[in-house]
């Protein structure tokens, strides 16, 4: 399985691709950060992100996209830009029929470091070790994107979410039930309990 991790942001959007090996071992394929100038209007910035993200989807053909779930903060302007970038990447993946999984920051930290409250330095250190990299990925957005991909591999990967093969048609994927549900594990368990009760 090939997983594309996305650390959403309007100024810096981290992208990291990993391949899953045996026993869920991860190998880094690519990592980068898409930057947009803050003086540009939001539509132009989102357009640049869309172009770059489409290129990554073309070049790396992931089986699933793992995106950080956004939480409200006090800084509304920052959260709005982050949410816009997140929604854009979700839509671009869905348009190609690629499943999208959402993971909270604490889920990612716990998966990678064993501590849901780990700081960025600890996450970067563990990503470097897990992927056996010669040097830490920089900036932190790059390491966070790889951490999101690793988290999905270890905590959220499922053959039901994978869309193997050279074609990734959204209609075929929906018919086969292969799509992200955008729910946390607790929400997914609750939804399953309600279905079972019927």
């Amino acid at each position: 399985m090939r997983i594309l991790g996305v650390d959403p942001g309007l100024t810096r959007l981290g992208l990291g691709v990993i391949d899953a090996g045996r026993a869920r071992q991860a190998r880094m394929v690519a990592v980068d950060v898409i930057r947009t100038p803050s003086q540009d209007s939001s539509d132009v910035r989102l357009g640049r992100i869309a172009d770059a993200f489409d290129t990554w989807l073309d070049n790396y053909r992931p089986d699933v996209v793992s995106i950080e779930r956004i939480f409200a903060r006090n800084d509304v302007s920052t959260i709005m830009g982050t949410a816009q970038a997140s929604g854009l990447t979700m839509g671009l993946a869905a348009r190609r029929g690629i499943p999208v999984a959402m993971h909270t920051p604490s889920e990612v930290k716990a998966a990678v470091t064993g501590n849901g409250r780990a700081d960025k330095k600890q996450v970067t250190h563990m990503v470097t070790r897990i992927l056996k990299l010669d040097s830490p990925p920089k900036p932190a957005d790059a390491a966070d994107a790889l951490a999101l991909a690793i988290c999905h591999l270890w905590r959220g990967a499922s053959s039901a979410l994978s869309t193997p093969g050279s074609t990734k048609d959204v209609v075929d994927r929906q018919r086969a039930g292969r799509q992200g549900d955008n729910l946390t594990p607790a929400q997914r368990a609750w939804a399953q309990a309600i279905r079972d009760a019927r």
Side-chain angles (χ1 to χ4, degrees):
M1 183 187 320
R2 175 165 286 186
I3 305 167
L4 169 56
V6 180
D7 182 40
L10 194 54
T11 302
R12 289 184 313 277
L13 183 131
L15 297 171
V17 178
I18 65 167
D19 279 344
R22 292 180 179 226
R24 294 194 175 187
Q25 290 184 347
R27 180 183 67 84
M28 187 184 82
V29 175
V31 66
D32 202 359
V33 174
I34 300 169
R35 293 175 171 84
T36 65
S38 58
Q39 67 268 22
D40 288 353
S41 62
S42 293
D43 58 328
V44 170
R45 297 170 78 183
L46 288 167
R48 287 183 181 177
I49 290 171
D51 288 344
F53 192 68
D54 266 336
T55 299
W56 273 66
L57 294 177
D58 287 339
N59 291 344
Y60 298 108
R61 300 193 60 75
D63 293 301
V64 64
V65 175
S66 175
I67 305 175
E68 182 177 281
R69 183 181 294 278
I70 306 302
F71 282 97
R73 298 181 189 127
N74 293 332
D75 186 355
V76 175
S77 62
T78 300
I79 197 67
M80 286 301 294
T82 302
Q84 289 168 342
S86 177
L88 175 68
T89 55
M90 289 172 66
L92 291 172
R95 186 179 67 185
R96 291 169 182 248
I98 303 170
V100 172
M102 307 291 285
H103 299 283
T104 66
S106 59
E107 286 174 337
V108 175
K109 291 172 183 177
V112 173
T113 71
N115 176 4
R117 295 177 182 232
D119 61 26
K120 286 191 177 289
K121 186 176 179 182
Q122 292 170 306
V123 170
T124 299
H125 173 72
M126 287 307 298
V127 165
T128 305
R129 284 188 60 193
I130 291 164
L131 297 176
K132 299 180 173 87
L133 304 177
D134 293 331
S135 59
K138 292 183 181 176
D141 311 270
D144 289 347
L146 290 169
L148 277 149
I150 293 166
C151 173
H152 185 73
L153 173 62
W154 289 353
R155 294 209 166 179
S158 161
S159 58
L161 284 178
S162 179
T163 311
S166 59
T167 60
K168 299 183 187 302
D169 181 73
V170 68
V171 176
D172 289 344
R173 182 171 60 87
Q174 287 172 336
R175 279 191 201 127
R178 295 189 308 263
Q179 57 185 334
D181 59 15
N182 200 26
L183 300 176
T184 66
Q187 291 168 329
R188 198 173 298 120
W190 180 257
Q192 185 61 50
I194 290 172
R195 283 193 297 271
D196 292 344
R198 292 182 186 153

